[in-house]
Coordinates of all heavy atoms in Angstrom, one line a residue:
M564 N 166.9 85.3 120.1 CA 165.9 84.3 120.4 C 164.7 84.9 121.1 O 163.6 84.8 120.7 CB 166.5 83.1 121.1 CG 165.4 82.1 121.4 SD 165.7 80.4 121.9 CE 167.3 80.2 122.4
H565 N 165.0 85.6 122.2 CA 163.9 86.3 123.0 C 164.0 87.7 122.7 O 165.0 88.3 122.6 CB 164.1 86.0 124.5 CG 164.0 84.6 124.9 ND1 162.8 83.9 124.9 CD2 164.9 83.6 125.2 CE1 163.0 82.7 125.3 NE2 164.3 82.5 125.5
G566 N 162.8 88.3 122.6 CA 162.7 89.8 122.4 C 163.0 90.5 123.8 O 163.2 89.9 124.8
A567 N 163.1 91.8 123.7 CA 163.3 92.6 124.9 C 162.2 92.4 125.8 O 161.0 92.3 125.4 CB 163.5 94.1 124.5
P568 N 162.4 92.3 127.1 CA 161.3 92.2 128.1 C 160.3 93.4 128.0 O 160.8 94.6 127.8 CB 162.0 92.1 129.4 CG 163.4 92.6 129.2 CD 163.7 92.4 127.8
I569 N 159.1 93.1 128.1 CA 158.1 94.2 128.1 C 158.0 94.8 129.5 O 157.7 94.1 130.5 CB 156.7 93.7 127.6 CG1 156.8 93.1 126.2 CG2 155.7 94.8 127.7 CD1 155.6 92.4 125.8
E570 N 158.2 96.0 129.6 CA 158.0 96.7 130.9 C 156.6 97.3 131.0 O 156.2 97.9 130.1 CB 159.0 97.8 131.1 CG 160.5 97.2 131.2 CD 161.5 98.2 131.6 OE1 161.1 99.2 132.3 OE2 162.6 98.1 131.2
H571 N 156.0 97.1 132.1 CA 154.6 97.5 132.3 C 154.6 98.6 133.4 O 155.3 98.4 134.4 CB 153.6 96.4 132.7 CG 153.6 95.4 131.6 ND1 153.0 95.5 130.4 CD2 154.0 94.1 131.7 CE1 153.1 94.4 129.7 NE2 153.7 93.5 130.5
S572 N 153.9 99.6 133.3 CA 153.7 100.6 134.4 C 152.7 100.0 135.4 O 152.0 99.0 135.0 CB 153.2 101.9 133.8 OG 152.0 101.8 133.3
T573 N 152.7 100.5 136.6 CA 151.7 100.1 137.5 C 150.3 100.6 137.0 O 150.1 101.8 136.9 CB 152.0 100.7 138.9 OG1 153.3 100.3 139.3 CG2 151.0 100.2 139.9
P574 N 149.4 99.6 136.7 CA 148.1 100.0 136.2 C 147.3 100.7 137.2 O 147.3 100.4 138.4 CB 147.5 98.7 135.7 CG 148.2 97.7 136.5 CD 149.5 98.2 136.9
P575 N 146.4 101.6 136.8 CA 145.5 102.3 137.7 C 144.4 101.2 138.0 O 144.2 100.3 137.3 CB 144.9 103.4 136.9 CG 145.1 103.1 135.5 CD 146.3 102.2 135.4
V576 N 143.7 101.5 139.1 CA 142.6 100.6 139.4 C 141.5 100.9 138.4 O 141.1 102.1 138.1 CB 142.1 101.0 140.9 CG1 140.9 100.2 141.2 CG2 143.2 100.7 141.9
E577 N 141.0 99.9 137.8 CA 140.0 100.1 136.7 C 138.7 100.7 137.3 O 138.4 100.4 138.5 CB 139.7 98.7 136.1 CG 140.7 98.3 135.1 CD 140.0 97.4 134.0 OE1 138.9 97.7 133.6 OE2 140.7 96.4 133.7
A578 N 138.0 101.4 136.5 CA 136.8 102.1 136.8 C 135.8 101.0 137.2 O 135.0 101.2 138.1 CB 136.2 102.9 135.7
K579 N 135.8 99.9 136.6 CA 134.9 98.8 136.9 C 135.0 98.3 138.3 O 134.1 98.0 139.0 CB 135.1 97.6 135.9 CG 134.6 97.8 134.5 CD 134.7 96.6 133.7 CE 133.8 96.7 132.5 NZ 132.5 96.8 132.7
V580 N 136.3 98.2 138.7 CA 136.5 97.7 140.1 C 136.1 98.8 141.1 O 135.4 98.5 142.1 CB 138.0 97.4 140.3 CG1 138.3 97.1 141.7 CG2 138.5 96.3 139.4
K581 N 136.3 100.1 140.8 CA 135.9 101.2 141.7 C 134.4 101.2 141.8 O 133.9 101.3 142.9 CB 136.4 102.5 141.2 CG 137.9 102.7 141.3 CD 138.3 104.0 140.7 CE 139.8 104.1 140.7 NZ 140.2 105.4 140.0
W582 N 133.6 101.1 140.7 CA 132.2 101.1 140.7 C 131.6 99.9 141.4 O 130.6 100.0 142.1 CB 131.6 101.3 139.3 CG 131.7 102.7 138.9 CD1 132.5 103.3 138.0 CD2 130.8 103.8 139.4 NE1 132.3 104.6 137.9 CE2 131.2 104.9 138.7 CE3 129.8 103.9 140.3 CZ2 130.6 106.2 138.9 CZ3 129.2 105.1 140.5 CH2 129.6 106.2 139.8
A583 N 132.2 98.8 141.2 CA 131.7 97.5 141.8 C 131.9 97.6 143.4 O 131.0 97.2 144.1 CB 132.4 96.3 141.3
A584 N 133.0 98.2 143.8 CA 133.3 98.3 145.2 C 132.3 99.3 145.8 O 131.7 99.1 146.9 CB 134.7 98.8 145.5
F585 N 132.0 100.4 145.1 CA 131.0 101.4 145.5 C 129.7 100.8 145.6 O 128.9 101.0 146.6 CB 131.1 102.6 144.6 CG 130.1 103.6 144.9 CD1 130.2 104.5 146.0 CD2 128.9 103.8 144.1 CE1 129.2 105.4 146.3 CE2 128.0 104.7 144.4 CZ 128.1 105.6 145.4
G586 N 129.3 100.0 144.6 CA 128.0 99.4 144.6 C 127.9 98.4 145.8 O 126.8 98.3 146.4
S587 N 128.9 97.7 146.1 CA 128.9 96.8 147.2 C 128.7 97.5 148.5 O 128.0 97.0 149.4 CB 130.2 95.9 147.2 OG 130.2 95.1 148.3
Y588 N 129.4 98.6 148.7 CA 129.3 99.4 149.9 C 127.8 99.9 150.0 O 127.2 99.8 151.1 CB 130.3 100.6 149.8 CG 130.1 101.6 151.0 CD1 130.5 101.2 152.3 CD2 129.4 102.8 150.8 CE1 130.3 102.1 153.4 CE2 129.2 103.6 151.9 CZ 129.7 103.3 153.1 OH 129.5 104.1 154.2
I589 N 127.3 100.5 148.9 CA 126.0 101.1 149.0 C 124.9 99.9 149.3 O 124.0 100.1 150.1 CB 125.6 101.8 147.7 CG1 126.5 103.1 147.5 CG2 124.1 102.2 147.6 CD1 126.3 104.1 148.7
G590 N 125.1 98.8 148.6 CA 124.2 97.7 148.8 C 124.3 97.1 150.2 O 123.3 96.8 150.8
S591 N 125.5 97.1 150.8 CA 125.6 96.6 152.1 C 125.0 97.5 153.1 O 124.4 97.1 154.1 CB 127.1 96.4 152.5 OG 127.7 95.4 151.7
T592 N 125.2 98.8 152.9 CA 124.6 99.8 153.8 C 123.0 99.7 153.7 O 122.4 99.8 154.7 CB 125.0 101.2 153.3 OG1 126.5 101.3 153.4 CG2 124.4 102.3 154.3
A593 N 122.5 99.5 152.5 CA 121.0 99.4 152.4 C 120.5 98.1 153.1 O 119.5 98.1 153.7 CB 120.7 99.4 150.9
A594 N 121.3 97.0 152.9 CA 120.9 95.8 153.6 C 120.9 95.9 155.1 O 120.1 95.4 155.8 CB 121.9 94.6 153.2
L595 N 122.0 96.7 155.6 CA 122.0 96.9 157.1 C 120.8 97.7 157.5 O 120.3 97.5 158.6 CB 123.3 97.5 157.4 CG 124.6 96.6 157.4 CD1 125.8 97.5 157.7 CD2 124.4 95.5 158.5
A596 N 120.5 98.7 156.7 CA 119.3 99.5 157.1 C 118.1 98.7 157.1 O 117.2 98.9 158.0 CB 119.2 100.7 156.1
V597 N 117.9 97.8 156.2 CA 116.7 96.9 156.1 C 116.8 96.0 157.4 O 115.7 95.8 158.0 CB 116.7 96.1 154.8 CG1 115.7 94.9 154.9 CG2 116.4 96.9 153.6
L598 N 117.9 95.5 157.7 CA 118.0 94.6 158.9 C 117.7 95.3 160.2 O 117.0 94.8 161.0 CB 119.4 94.0 159.0 CG 119.7 92.9 158.0 CD1 121.2 92.5 158.1 CD2 118.8 91.7 158.1
Q599 N 118.1 96.6 160.3 CA 117.7 97.3 161.4 C 116.2 97.6 161.5 O 115.6 97.6 162.6 CB 118.5 98.6 161.5 CG 120.0 98.4 161.8 CD 120.8 99.7 161.9 OE1 120.3 100.8 161.4 NE2 122.0 99.7 162.5
A600 N 115.6 97.9 160.4 CA 114.2 98.2 160.3 C 113.4 96.9 160.7 O 112.4 96.9 161.4 CB 113.8 98.7 159.0
V601 N 113.9 95.8 160.2 CA 113.2 94.5 160.4 C 113.4 94.1 161.9 O 112.5 93.6 162.5 CB 113.8 93.4 159.5 CG1 113.4 92.0 160.0 CG2 113.4 93.7 158.1
D602 N 114.5 94.5 162.5 CA 114.7 94.2 163.9 C 113.7 94.9 164.8 O 113.2 94.4 165.8 CB 116.1 94.6 164.4 CG 116.5 94.1 165.7 OD1 116.1 92.9 166.1 OD2 117.1 94.8 166.5
A603 N 113.3 96.1 164.3 CA 112.3 96.9 165.0 C 110.9 96.4 164.7 O 110.0 96.5 165.6 CB 112.4 98.4 164.8
D604 N 110.7 95.9 163.5 CA 109.3 95.5 163.1 C 109.4 94.2 162.2 O 109.7 94.3 161.0 CB 108.7 96.6 162.3 CG 107.2 96.4 161.9 OD1 106.7 95.3 162.3 OD2 106.7 97.2 161.1
H605 N 109.3 93.1 162.8 CA 109.4 91.9 162.1 C 108.4 91.6 161.0 O 108.5 90.7 160.2 CB 109.5 90.7 163.1 CG 110.7 90.7 163.9 ND1 111.9 90.3 163.5 CD2 110.9 91.1 165.3 CE1 112.8 90.5 164.5 NE2 112.2 91.0 165.6
S606 N 107.3 92.3 161.1 CA 106.2 92.1 160.1 C 106.7 92.5 158.7 O 106.0 92.1 157.8 CB 104.9 92.9 160.5 OG 105.2 94.3 160.4
L607 N 107.8 93.3 158.6 CA 108.2 93.7 157.2 C 108.6 92.5 156.3 O 108.4 92.6 155.1 CB 109.3 94.7 157.3 CG 109.0 96.1 157.9 CD1 110.2 96.9 158.1 CD2 108.0 96.8 157.0
I608 N 109.2 91.5 156.9 CA 109.6 90.3 156.1 C 109.0 89.1 156.7 O 109.5 87.9 156.3 CB 111.1 90.2 156.0 CG1 111.8 90.1 157.4 CG2 111.7 91.4 155.2 CD1 113.2 89.8 157.3
A609 N 108.1 89.1 157.5 CA 107.5 87.9 158.2 C 106.8 87.0 157.2 O 106.7 85.8 157.4 CB 106.4 88.3 159.2
F610 N 106.4 87.5 156.0 CA 105.7 86.7 155.0 C 106.7 85.8 154.2 O 106.3 84.9 153.5 CB 104.9 87.6 154.1 CG 105.7 88.6 153.3 CD1 106.2 88.3 152.1 CD2 105.9 89.9 153.9 CE1 107.0 89.3 151.4 CE2 106.6 90.8 153.2 CZ 107.2 90.5 152.0
W611 N 108.0 86.1 154.3 CA 109.1 85.3 153.7 C 109.5 84.1 154.5 O 109.6 84.2 155.7 CB 110.3 86.2 153.4 CG 110.2 87.2 152.3 CD1 109.2 87.4 151.5 CD2 111.2 88.1 152.0 NE1 109.5 88.5 150.7 CE2 110.8 88.9 150.9 CE3 112.5 88.4 152.5 CZ2 111.5 89.9 150.4 CZ3 113.3 89.4 151.9 CH2 112.8 90.1 150.9
P612 N 109.7 83.0 153.8 CA 110.3 81.9 154.6 C 111.7 82.3 155.1 O 112.4 83.1 154.4 CB 110.3 80.7 153.6 CG 109.5 81.2 152.4 CD 109.4 82.6 152.5
D613 N 112.1 81.7 156.1 CA 113.5 82.0 156.7 C 114.6 81.7 155.7 O 115.5 82.5 155.6 CB 113.7 81.2 158.0 CG 112.9 81.7 159.1 OD1 112.4 82.8 159.1 OD2 112.7 80.9 160.1
W614 N 114.5 80.6 154.9 CA 115.6 80.3 154.0 C 115.6 81.4 152.9 O 116.7 81.7 152.4 CB 115.4 78.9 153.4 CG 114.1 78.8 152.5 CD1 112.9 78.4 153.0 CD2 114.0 79.1 151.1 NE1 112.0 78.4 151.9 CE2 112.6 78.8 150.8 CE3 114.9 79.5 150.2 CZ2 112.2 79.0 149.5 CZ3 114.4 79.7 148.9 CH2 113.0 79.4 148.5
L615 N 114.4 82.0 152.5 CA 114.4 83.0 151.5 C 115.0 84.3 152.0 O 115.7 85.0 151.2 CB 113.0 83.2 151.0 CG 112.8 84.1 149.8 CD1 113.6 83.6 148.6 CD2 111.4 84.3 149.4
E616 N 114.8 84.6 153.2 CA 115.4 85.8 153.8 C 116.9 85.7 153.8 O 117.6 86.6 153.4 CB 114.9 86.0 155.3 CG 113.5 86.2 155.5 CD 113.1 86.2 157.0 OE1 114.0 86.3 157.8 OE2 111.9 86.2 157.2
A617 N 117.5 84.5 154.1 CA 118.9 84.3 154.1 C 119.5 84.4 152.8 O 120.7 84.9 152.6 CB 119.2 82.9 154.8
I618 N 118.8 84.1 151.7 CA 119.3 84.2 150.3 C 119.1 85.6 149.8 O 120.0 86.1 149.1 CB 118.6 83.2 149.5 CG1 118.9 81.7 149.9 CG2 118.9 83.4 148.0 CD1 118.1 80.7 149.2
T619 N 118.0 86.2 150.1 CA 117.6 87.5 149.4 C 118.5 88.7 149.9 O 118.9 89.5 149.2 CB 116.2 87.8 149.7 OG1 115.4 86.7 149.2 CG2 115.7 89.0 148.9
I620 N 118.7 88.8 151.2 CA 119.3 89.9 151.8 C 120.8 90.1 151.2 O 121.1 91.2 150.9 CB 119.3 89.9 153.3 CG1 117.8 90.1 153.8 CG2 120.2 91.0 153.9 CD1 117.6 90.0 155.2
P621 N 121.6 89.0 151.1 CA 122.9 89.2 150.5 C 122.9 89.5 149.0 O 123.9 90.0 148.4 CB 123.6 87.9 150.8 CG 122.9 87.3 151.9 CD 121.5 87.7 151.8
L622 N 121.8 89.2 148.4 CA 121.7 89.5 146.9 C 121.7 91.0 146.6 O 122.0 91.4 145.5 CB 120.4 88.8 146.3 CG 120.5 87.3 146.1 CD1 119.2 86.8 145.6 CD2 121.7 87.0 145.2
L623 N 121.2 91.8 147.5 CA 121.1 93.2 147.3 C 122.5 93.8 147.0 O 122.7 94.4 145.9 CB 120.4 93.9 148.5 CG 120.3 95.4 148.3 CD1 119.4 95.8 147.2 CD2 119.8 96.0 149.6
P624 N 123.5 93.7 147.9 CA 124.8 94.3 147.5 C 125.5 93.6 146.4 O 126.1 94.2 145.5 CB 125.6 94.1 148.8 CG 124.9 93.2 149.7 CD 123.5 93.2 149.2
T625 N 125.2 92.3 146.2 CA 125.8 91.5 145.1 C 125.2 92.1 143.8 O 126.0 92.3 142.8 CB 125.6 90.0 145.3 OG1 126.0 89.6 146.5 CG2 126.2 89.3 144.1
G626 N 124.0 92.2 143.7 CA 123.3 92.7 142.5 C 123.7 94.1 142.1 O 124.0 94.4 141.0
I627 N 123.8 95.0 143.1 CA 124.2 96.4 142.8 C 125.6 96.4 142.3 O 126.0 97.1 141.4 CB 124.0 97.3 144.1 CG1 122.5 97.4 144.4 CG2 124.7 98.6 143.9 CD1 122.2 98.1 145.7
A628 N 126.5 95.7 143.0 CA 128.0 95.7 142.5 C 128.1 95.1 141.1 O 128.8 95.6 140.4 CB 128.8 94.8 143.5
A629 N 127.3 94.1 140.8 CA 127.4 93.5 139.5 C 126.9 94.4 138.4 O 127.5 94.6 137.4 CB 126.6 92.1 139.5
V630 N 125.8 95.1 138.7 CA 125.2 96.0 137.7 C 126.2 97.2 137.5 O 126.5 97.6 136.4 CB 123.9 96.5 138.1 CG1 123.4 97.7 137.3 CG2 122.9 95.4 138.0
L631 N 126.7 97.8 138.6 CA 127.6 98.9 138.4 C 128.9 98.5 137.8 O 129.5 99.3 137.0 CB 127.9 99.6 139.8 CG 126.7 100.4 140.4 CD1 127.1 100.9 141.8 CD2 126.3 101.5 139.5
G632 N 129.4 97.4 138.1 CA 130.7 96.9 137.5 C 130.5 96.6 136.1 O 131.4 96.9 135.2
F633 N 129.3 96.1 135.6 CA 129.0 95.8 134.2 C 128.8 97.1 133.5 O 129.3 97.2 132.3 CB 127.8 94.9 134.2 CG 127.4 94.6 132.8 CD1 128.1 93.6 132.0 CD2 126.3 95.2 132.1 CE1 127.7 93.3 130.8 CE2 126.0 94.9 130.8 CZ 126.7 93.9 130.1
R634 N 128.3 98.1 134.1 CA 127.9 99.3 133.3 C 129.1 100.2 133.2 O 129.2 101.1 132.2 CB 126.8 100.1 134.0 CG 125.5 99.3 134.1 CD 124.7 99.3 132.9 NE 124.5 100.7 132.5 CZ 124.1 101.2 131.3 NH1 124.0 100.3 130.3 NH2 123.9 102.4 131.0
A635 N 130.1 100.1 134.0 CA 131.3 101.0 134.0 C 132.2 100.6 132.8 O 132.3 99.5 132.4 CB 132.1 100.9 135.3
K636 N 132.8 101.7 132.2 CA 133.7 101.4 131.1 C 135.1 100.9 131.6 O 135.5 101.2 132.7 CB 133.9 102.7 130.3 CG 132.6 103.1 129.6 CD 132.8 104.4 128.8 CE 131.5 104.8 128.1 NZ 131.7 105.9 127.2
H637 N 135.7 100.1 130.7 CA 137.1 99.7 131.0 C 138.0 100.9 131.1 O 137.9 101.8 130.3 CB 137.6 98.7 130.0 CG 137.0 97.3 130.2 ND1 137.5 96.5 131.1 CD2 136.1 96.6 129.5 CE1 136.8 95.4 131.1 NE2 136.0 95.4 130.1
T638 N 139.1 100.8 131.9 CA 140.1 101.8 132.0 C 141.1 101.5 130.8 O 141.6 100.4 130.7 CB 140.8 101.8 133.3 OG1 139.9 101.9 134.4 CG2 141.9 102.8 133.4
P639 N 141.3 102.5 129.9 CA 142.2 102.3 128.8 C 143.7 102.0 129.3 O 144.1 102.6 130.3 CB 142.2 103.6 128.0 CG 141.6 104.6 128.9 CD 140.8 103.9 130.0
R640 N 144.4 101.2 128.6 CA 145.8 100.9 129.0 C 146.7 101.1 127.7 O 147.1 100.2 127.1 CB 145.9 99.4 129.4 CG 145.3 99.1 130.7 CD 146.0 99.6 131.9 NE 147.5 99.3 131.9 CZ 148.0 98.2 132.3 NH1 147.3 97.3 132.9 NH2 149.3 98.0 132.3
P641 N 147.0 102.4 127.5 CA 147.8 102.7 126.3 C 149.3 102.2 126.5 O 150.0 102.2 125.5 CB 147.8 104.2 126.2 CG 147.4 104.7 127.6 CD 146.6 103.6 128.2
D642 N 149.7 101.9 127.7 CA 151.0 101.4 127.9 C 151.3 100.0 127.4 O 152.4 99.5 127.3 CB 151.4 101.6 129.4 CG 150.6 100.8 130.3 OD1 149.3 100.7 130.0 OD2 151.0 100.2 131.3
L643 N 150.2 99.3 127.2 CA 150.3 97.9 126.7 C 150.5 97.8 125.2 O 149.9 98.7 124.5 CB 149.1 97.0 127.1 CG 149.0 96.8 128.6 CD1 147.7 96.0 128.9 CD2 150.2 96.0 129.2
P644 N 151.2 96.8 124.7 CA 151.2 96.6 123.3 C 149.8 96.3 122.7 O 148.9 95.8 123.4 CB 152.1 95.4 123.1 CG 152.8 95.2 124.3 CD 152.0 95.8 125.4
E645 N 149.5 96.6 121.5 CA 148.2 96.5 120.9 C 147.7 95.0 121.0 O 146.5 94.8 121.3 CB 148.3 96.8 119.4 CG 146.9 96.9 118.7 CD 146.1 98.1 119.3 OE1 146.7 99.2 119.5 OE2 144.9 97.9 119.4
S646 N 148.6 94.0 121.0 CA 148.1 92.7 121.1 C 147.7 92.3 122.5 O 147.0 91.3 122.7 CB 149.3 91.7 120.7 OG 150.3 91.8 121.6
Q647 N 148.0 93.0 123.4 CA 147.6 92.7 124.9 C 146.5 93.6 125.4 O 146.1 93.5 126.5 CB 148.8 92.9 125.8 CG 149.9 91.9 125.5 CD 151.0 92.0 126.5 OE1 151.1 92.9 127.3 NE2 152.0 91.2 126.3
R648 N 146.0 94.5 124.6 CA 144.9 95.4 125.1 C 143.6 94.7 125.1 O 143.2 93.9 124.3 CB 144.8 96.6 124.2 CG 146.0 97.5 124.4 CD 145.8 98.8 123.8 NE 147.1 99.4 123.6 CZ 147.4 100.5 122.9 NH1 146.5 101.1 122.3 NH2 148.6 100.9 122.8

């Protein structure tokens, strides 16, 4: 009635996840650098409304992570049956 159980190996971390994490780190570092520069010179973002500053700064790491994760290729999984790839 039931087929033999499918055994799966421990999958490697996909390249997409690695690149998205790297992009998030780089974006966060860049956002921190901007925040430190702004702390020293508020005229760099003084022309933005406060609500726009709060929305824009977190978008930098999010955007970088999304682009790098989208552009990276999937990690192949030859250990899975063809129907599950």
Side-chain angles (χ1 to χ4, degrees):
M564 179 162 19
H565 296 286
I569 298 173
E570 293 188 30
H571 302 289
S572 64
T573 304
V576 176
E577 279 207 43
K579 289 187 160 296
V580 175
K581 291 178 186 177
W582 278 106
F585 175 73
S587 180
Y588 173 76
I589 294 299
S591 296
T592 303
L595 286 175
V597 168
L598 288 174
Q599 287 180 346
V601 168
D602 189 40
D604 184 8
H605 293 283
S606 68
L607 291 174
I608 60 171
F610 58 92
W611 287 356
D613 289 339
W614 64 269
L615 186 60
E616 292 173 16
I618 294 172
T619 305
I620 291 174
L622 283 177
L623 180 65
T625 304
I627 291 173
V630 168
L631 290 178
F633 180 77
R634 298 282 301 160
K636 294 183 179 183
H637 281 286
T638 303
R640 291 288 310 271
D642 60 322
L643 292 178
E645 191 65 40
S646 63
Q647 294 181 357
R648 291 187 200 172

